[in-house]
Amino acid sequence: MLRYIIRRVLWAIPILIGVSIVSFFIIQLPPGNYLTALMASMRATGESVDMSQLQTLSERYGLDEPMIVQYWKWISGIVLRGDFGQSFLYTRPVSDLLWERLGLTFILAFTSMIFVWLIAFPIGVYSAVRKYSIGDYVMTFVGFIGLATPNFLIALILMYVSFTVFGQSAGGLFSPQYLDAPWSWAKFADMMSKIWIPVVVIGTAGTAALIRIMRANMLDELPKTYVDAARARGLSGAHAVTKYPLRVALNPFVSRIGWELPELISGATITAIVLSLPTTGPLLLEALLAQDMYLAGSFIMMLSVLTVIGTLISDLLLAWLDPRIRQGVVG
Amino acid sequence: MRQIPMREPDTLLEVRDLATHFFTDEGVVRAVDGASFDIPRGKTLCIVGESGSGKSVMARAVMGLTRAPGRVVGGSVLWCPDQDGQATDLATLHGNSRAYRAIRGPEIGMIFQEPMAALSPVHTIGTQLAESVRSRHAVSKRETRERGIEALARVGIPEPAARYDQYGFELSGGMRQRAMIAMALAAEPKLLIADEPTTALDVTTQAGILDLILDLQSETGMTVMFITHDLGVVAEIADSVAVMYLGRVVEHADVDTAFHAPAHPYTEALLRALPSIHAKTGERLAAIPGMVPHPFARPAGCAFHPRCHRFRPGLCETREPENVPVAPGHGARCLLLKPARKAAAE
């Protein structure tokens, strides 16, 4: 098992190197660079462009150098010094921007994930065990509505309801007085009073999808003979279902965790913009639009690292859950 | 739980007119439709029939494990665990009730056709075996394990302590079925229902499993209800035989009578279809003409009449045959038969 983990971790290295190269070059693909984008926007607003100032900026950031050199500067900074470079847009170190947003994104994402699991899990099992019952049809109906409604629309509706009914502005995660305040219980409570809207918005589609997955997994397992065999040993129906088919139905569920990690960062961008959430999605979009290549590149690197870690975690969880996979791994 | 006085103290299970119907979108499938038989204590009853005759559905009905859209719609399953003559009608109990669960497992055990499918792919043999041990005895974890390993040893599994912690997929087919038997027997049931337990195994393994069941039966005195379509197996292990056709028991007799003096034409036809070692070279194997009818197209009158070599027009397709007691302990549902006493008087 340990050998398997080490092998998987070692495999991640070439994958990440490849990803870093590809993402760096793709970000550079659009014609021009940050300075030309800056120049264009300055011209558009009627400001005069000082060519000599541009020249110094260009030299400082090394934008004139060949791409290989630029890439090397960027990647060696990350690997050797943990330095992700400077954001052109914010004139701040990228790592500051990243960590600031990542913390909140994680809080939001984990809260919504737990929300989704708490709701989807029991409903999915119920819909499978009571297949074609009224409850199943109602849940299926609600689930499909949740799947079909775009998240930003739910966000707008909830914002409207929150404002008209509760008299509360729904944007952001904090009230204005806590925005720059250090962390305290009051700030935490303030966040908790606001977080439910994005959690519900981000959660609905996920909940609906997960209910369907759970239901389908359970329906695959419920007719298996081993369920009857367990009942033939005197187990009650409910006990037999939760002990056996539910365990087996968890497998496809767990393998999804791998994709959820990167989705935490890149997902729900539109929702985050609508709700003006201080999460990573809007920042990534902004960086890409402005060709702020170090910021964007670092984000994409983060995404790839999380994808690799996520896949590794779900593989390990699967091996832990399913002896058939574990045997294949060791043998 | 309603207690019903029994007539025959030697009978462990008395099934009368049992009916399990499946309510599908296409219509009602009468998978078991009025099946009756008895199993005496300590004996082996073989239930024989072609695929689709309702053998397995009937076994599940006795176990209270009928699956939706199926439902037990009639008849009685009288379970009389003690010789005091008191019986419980299992057909009136809800399949998931506490009363049924007190019987299923510790009183009536079951083994299935495909041992691989009957074992959870992600739980050890021990986890599943422990449930069975605990359904009978409330014992400590350590003792549960010891009893479980003992049960594995008793069914002839080598290195039982190691096997206890292994998974079903790590064992061979025969070993899996032995493990299933160990699970059923760890609860020390009075009745073991074996639903084609050897069908999925190769012939040598099959013989080993049959010997094991016979040995365990003589050791523990348990009663066995053995479902099979293999008449060779019947000859080897049965005390009595119930032949099923389209959801009904068409003949019920002790094993010698069933093989040497069958009363029902269907039983005769089944026996003729057995390959014989005395057959002449070039002789064709006898087959029963036609197919088992589709459950929606159940023939009128005697359901076997379209395939019957004794078919009498004007009689067989008009009336449903009743069970005719041709001799003590021997009955058959055929319109051409006469009851034993009446026949002797004539």
Side-chain angles (χ1 to χ4, degrees):
Chain A
M1 197 68 197
L2 192 69
R3 268 187 52 198
Y4 170 74
I5 298 174
I6 293 172
R7 206 171 64 212
R8 287 294 310 265
V9 172
L10 287 180
W11 258 112
I13 295 172
I15 293 173
L16 288 178
I17 292 177
V19 167
S20 72
I21 294 172
V22 171
S23 56
F24 191 83
F25 286 100
I26 287 178
I27 292 167
Q28 304 268 41
L29 268 185
N33 54 33
Y34 171 69
L35 291 181
T36 48
L38 180 71
M39 233 158 58
S41 75
M42 280 165 84
R43 282 216 187 87
T45 52
E47 285 180 67
S48 65
V49 184
D50 185 347
M51 286 313 277
S52 68
Q53 196 192 336
L54 279 182
Q55 196 55 45
T56 30
L57 276 176
S58 171
E59 267 164 34
R60 208 170 88 204
Y61 294 129
L63 291 179
D64 292 338
E65 290 170 66
M67 243 198 253
I68 307 275
V69 179
Q70 288 190 36
Y71 171 75
W72 177 247
K73 275 187 176 170
W74 176 65
I75 200 73
S76 65
I78 294 175
V79 175
L80 300 177
R81 298 184 299 272
D83 173 13
F84 288 86
Q86 286 272 327
S87 160
F88 303 141
L89 206 54
Y90 289 86
T91 55
R92 281 176 63 193
V94 166
S95 48
D96 287 4
L97 287 166
L98 259 179
W99 298 126
E100 194 179 278
R101 298 249 169 165
L102 265 184
L104 285 173
T105 309
F106 269 117
I107 292 175
L108 187 62
F110 273 110
T111 323
S112 7
M113 206 155 98
I114 288 165
F115 167 82
V116 166
W117 285 13
L118 281 182
I119 293 183
F121 223 87
I123 293 179
V125 174
Y126 170 86
S127 301
V129 175
R130 298 256 176 282
K131 189 172 65 157
Y132 304 142
S133 67
I134 294 181
D136 177 28
Y137 281 124
V138 169
M139 292 306 170
T140 305
F141 182 73
V142 173
F144 276 128
I145 288 190
L147 258 184
T149 318
N151 276 349
F152 68 87
L153 190 67
I154 302 177
L156 288 174
I157 293 170
L158 278 184
M159 276 169 88
Y160 176 77
V161 170
S162 159
F163 190 73
T164 51
V165 179
F166 301 107
Q168 188 189 23
S169 138
L173 277 180
F174 302 104
S175 304
Q177 67 266 34
Y178 291 112
L179 209 52
D180 292 315
W183 278 100
S184 63
W185 276 114
K187 182 171 179 172
F188 182 73
D190 178 59
M191 183 181 78
M192 281 299 143
S193 74
K194 293 196 153 219
I195 206 169
W196 68 271
I197 290 182
V199 163
V200 169
V201 171
I202 297 170
T204 34
T207 309
L210 215 53
I211 288 176
R212 303 309 299 168
I213 292 173
M214 201 62 211
R215 182 177 183 273
N217 291 356
M218 284 299 284
L219 285 181
D220 278 347
E221 295 303 323
L222 281 175
K224 299 263 171 86
T225 316
Y226 66 79
V227 185
D228 290 326
R231 294 190 63 200
R233 290 191 291 271
L235 255 58
S236 72
H239 190 179
V241 165
T242 45
K243 184 167 180 182
Y244 293 102
L246 188 59
R247 246 308 288 287
V248 183
L250 276 182
N251 283 4
F253 202 76
V254 163
S255 50
R256 270 175 63 90
I257 294 177
W259 334 325
E260 295 218 15
L261 260 189
E263 226 167 80
L264 297 186
I265 295 204
S266 65
T269 304
I270 298 176
T271 314
I273 292 171
V274 171
L275 289 171
S276 58
L277 299 174
T279 53
T280 45
L283 190 64
L284 172 59
L285 182 67
E286 212 178 332
L288 284 171
L289 285 177
Q291 292 198 2
D292 188 348
M293 64 184 201
Y294 291 126
L295 187 55
S298 304
F299 259 118
I300 306 241
M301 265 312 278
M302 254 352 239
L303 282 181
S304 334
V305 171
L306 284 174
T307 312
V308 171
I309 293 175
T311 319
L312 181 65
I313 289 177
S314 60
D315 284 358
L316 292 179
L317 274 176
L318 269 182
W320 173 65
L321 262 180
D322 192 334
R324 288 166 297 184
I325 296 173
R326 197 157 63 230
Q327 301 280 326
V329 161
V330 175
Chain B
M1 202 165 21
R2 208 151 49 96
Q3 296 285 312
I4 300 153
M6 286 283 297
R7 283 154 302 197
E8 190 67 58
D10 281 342
T11 303
L12 179 68
L13 188 76
E14 182 187 305
V15 174
R16 285 290 169 272
D17 301 320
L18 183 66
T20 304
H21 293 179
F22 285 78
F23 299 89
T24 66
D25 291 341
E26 289 81 32
V28 178
V29 179
R30 295 159 192 266
V32 176
D33 199 21
S36 305
F37 59 89
D38 300 335
I39 311 182
R41 281 172 216 287
K43 301 291 185 191
T44 300
L45 170 74
C46 273
I47 308 238
V48 196
E50 287 169 275
S51 309
S53 59
K55 309 178 298 263
S56 294
V57 173
M58 205 224 17
R60 278 170 180 274
V62 172
M63 282 300 271
L65 290 177
T66 301
R67 273 186 178 275
R71 218 164 58 223
V72 175
V73 291
S76 59
V77 179
L78 297 184
W79 168 248
C80 7
D82 304 303
Q83 283 183 307
D84 61 7
Q86 289 300 305
T88 309
D89 185 359
L90 299 180
T92 60
L93 295 178
H94 188 270
N96 209 13
S97 65
R98 194 171 288 272
Y100 219 133
R101 277 190 278 133
I103 293 170
R104 187 168 56 221
E107 299 279 306
I108 310 180
M110 182 162 176
I111 53 179
F112 296 84
Q113 183 171 349
E114 291 262 6
M116 187 62 192
L119 286 165
S120 160
V122 298
H123 294 82
T124 58
I125 302 286
T127 312
Q128 297 167 76
L129 189 45
E131 289 168 357
S132 185
V133 174
R134 278 199 293 264
S135 76
R136 167 66 78 176
H137 306 281
V139 289
S140 69
K141 263 195 172 156
R142 233 186 84 202
E143 214 189 321
T144 306
R145 188 187 166 87
E146 278 164 16
R147 280 172 190 258
I149 293 173
E150 204 178 288
L152 289 178
R154 207 162 51 145
V155 297
I157 292 183
E159 295 177 70
R163 299 287 173 268
Y164 189 86
D165 294 314
Q166 282 190 314
Y167 295 92
F169 60 85
E170 295 176 86
L171 306 183
S172 68
M175 285 299 141
R176 278 180 210 138
Q177 195 57 287
R178 280 172 194 266
M180 287 308 298
I181 295 173
M183 277 175 210
L185 292 188
E188 300 158 30
K190 294 193 172 72
L191 172 66
L192 176 70
I193 299 179
D195 184 3
E196 306 205 34
T198 56
T199 308
L201 306 174
D202 64 67
V203 184
T204 15
T205 322
Q206 204 171 10
I209 296 287
L210 290 179
D211 286 344
L212 173 67
I213 291 176
L214 285 177
D215 286 349
L216 291 167
Q217 186 179 24
S218 61
E219 212 176 285
T220 61
M222 70 175 172
T223 311
V224 176
M225 176 171 141
F226 199 103
I227 294 168
T228 182
H229 58 251
D230 185 341
L231 289 171
V233 170
V234 177
E236 201 166 326
I237 66 164
D239 293 307
S240 55
V241 181
V243 181
M244 282 188 80
Y245 189 76
L246 275 187
R248 290 200 181 160
V249 175
V250 293
E251 180 155 16
H252 183 216
D254 66 80
V255 66
D256 288 336
T257 313
F259 272 92
H260 299 297
H264 198 282
Y266 178 56
T267 318
E268 284 173 21
L270 278 181
L271 288 168
R272 264 210 314 258
L274 268 182
S276 163
I277 202 159
H278 306 297
K280 286 182 214 118
T281 317
E283 195 179 311
R284 280 188 159 262
L285 196 61
I288 306 178
M291 306 260 287
V292 180
H294 191 274
F296 290 131
R298 191 194 178 84
C302 172
F304 185 59
H305 83 258
R307 305 173 71 191
C308 185
H309 56 283
R310 292 178 198 270
F311 171 57
R312 197 175 290 170
L315 174 68
C316 293
E317 76 274 33
T318 53
R319 268 199 305 140
E320 288 215 23
E322 294 291 314
N323 184 47
V324 181
V326 284
H330 184 191
R333 278 173 182 265
C334 179
L335 291 164
L336 304 178
L337 293 173
K338 287 178 184 137
R341 208 176 299 144
K342 251 170 96 184
E346 276 174 8

